[in-house]
Amino acid sequence: MEEDFIFTAIQLLVSVGPLVLCGLIIGRTVEKQHFRRLDAFDAQCQDFLITQLKSFPMSVAGESAPSLVVTEVVIASDYLKSWFAKWRNLFGGELRSFQTLQIRAKREAMHRLIKSAMEQGYNAICNVRIESADVGGGTAQRKTPMAAVIATATAYHAGQDS
Amino acid sequence: MIVTNTETVAGYEIVAICGLVQGNTVRAKHAGRDIDASFKNMVGGELKGYTELLTESRREAMQRMLAQAQQLGANAVVNVRFTTSAVTSGAAELYAYGTAVTVEPSA
């Protein structure tokens, strides 16, 4: 019986091991790089005014009318994260691996909102709304977890006067 | 056409309300995107195929919404909202709705 158990354990490790290792090495690197990129961008847009107010704080008349900006992001979980989540399901508690996944998707969506507003010549966004989206039906029931986000905001011109 | 997700438009005054306008689209993802997704789920990273799918659906739904607004003779849509819902496994709906209004630059 004991041998059987050890054999099964080894079999499990051999079949799952490479994928977990793959997630551990590549997944971690991808995540770290992503966070580094997001931090760098955050440092760049210090004077860009971001609020989620429905009014237009500090708005001034610009050359163009306010405009809607919408962005969407879908980020995949890696094998290690999904594997951790399966174990977590046994004991309950916070799923840290998915927490960072969700925050990456949301920050990336914000990043793209700001970028698209900047490209159109605006220097502020208000009424930022971030929602989870459904891609291809039944996102929560999928075997392959992912974070899908759709973010909307209104871009406008802000300034010190008036 | 001015489109915002706020209730007002800075620098403009709402002079008439034309009514609710809406647009939706139901889109299926194709197998190619699923295969790409299953690979990405080992190593993590952005699922570009799915992001594109969302972007396409959103553009389509918005276009239909704006066409309705134009028919009503509005020159702006305010308080635009987006929602998604699963129809079956394999297809999702993206729904955009807002209030069509007529705006004039405030003096």
Side-chain angles (χ1 to χ4, degrees), chain A residues 49 57-60 123-124 156-162:
Chain A
L49 186 66
M58 291 164 71
S59 89
V60 290
N123 65 351
Y156 66 103
H157 297 281
Q160 283 301 334
D161 50 288
S162 94

Side-chain angles (χ1 to χ4, degrees), chain B residues 83-101:
Chain B
T83 57
T84 54
S85 57
V87 179
T88 62
S89 69
E93 182 201 25
L94 201 144
Y95 179 55
Y97 57 109
T99 303
V101 295

Side-chain angles (χ1 to χ4, degrees), chain A:
Chain A
M1 276 306 275
E2 238 174 63
E3 270 175 16
D4 257 14
F5 179 74
I6 291 166
F7 183 70
T8 320
I10 288 169
Q11 216 174 22
L12 193 79
L13 213 69
V14 168
S15 62
V16 171
L19 286 171
V20 171
L21 208 69
C22 189
L24 183 72
I25 297 165
I26 306 173
R28 283 278 162 94
T29 318
V30 166
E31 181 162 289
K32 263 191 198 146
Q33 275 175 352
H34 192 189
F35 272 126
R36 218 172 293 146
R37 214 163 54 234
L38 288 169
D39 288 339
F41 185 81
D42 279 356
Q44 253 181 58
C45 49
Q46 294 288 344
D47 9 287
F48 196 90
L49 186 66
I50 307 156
T51 61
Q52 46 105 267
L53 300 170
K54 284 182 182 175
S55 55
F56 294 79
M58 291 164 71
S59 89
V60 290
E63 59 264 37
S64 49
S67 146
L68 181 77
V69 280
V70 193
T71 56
E72 38 289 290
V73 178
V74 185
I75 291 183
S77 151
D78 58 58
Y79 198 86
L80 183 75
K81 281 178 190 292
S82 315
W83 196 66
F84 274 157
K86 265 182 213 156
W87 283 103
R88 256 290 173 231
N89 268 329
L90 288 178
F91 309 109
E94 190 186 358
L95 287 161
R96 268 184 192 282
S97 56
F98 282 166
Q99 185 243 331
T100 54
L101 180 75
Q102 290 288 347
I103 213 76
R104 265 166 72 199
K106 269 144 208 176
R107 280 183 68 185
E108 180 68 36
M110 273 288 289
H111 170 156
R112 287 184 191 175
L113 276 184
I114 298 164
K115 223 159 108 182
S116 107
M118 275 178 169
E119 274 165 15
Q120 292 173 61
Y122 295 102
N123 65 351
I125 51 173
C126 68
N127 205 23
V128 175
R129 293 286 180 270
I130 300 173
E131 299 175 45
S132 60
D134 194 276
V135 187
T139 302
Q141 279 87 48
R142 296 171 68 88
K143 268 189 230 152
T144 51
M146 62 189 190
V149 163
I150 178 159
T152 58
T154 299
Y156 66 103
H157 297 281
Q160 283 301 334
D161 50 288
S162 94

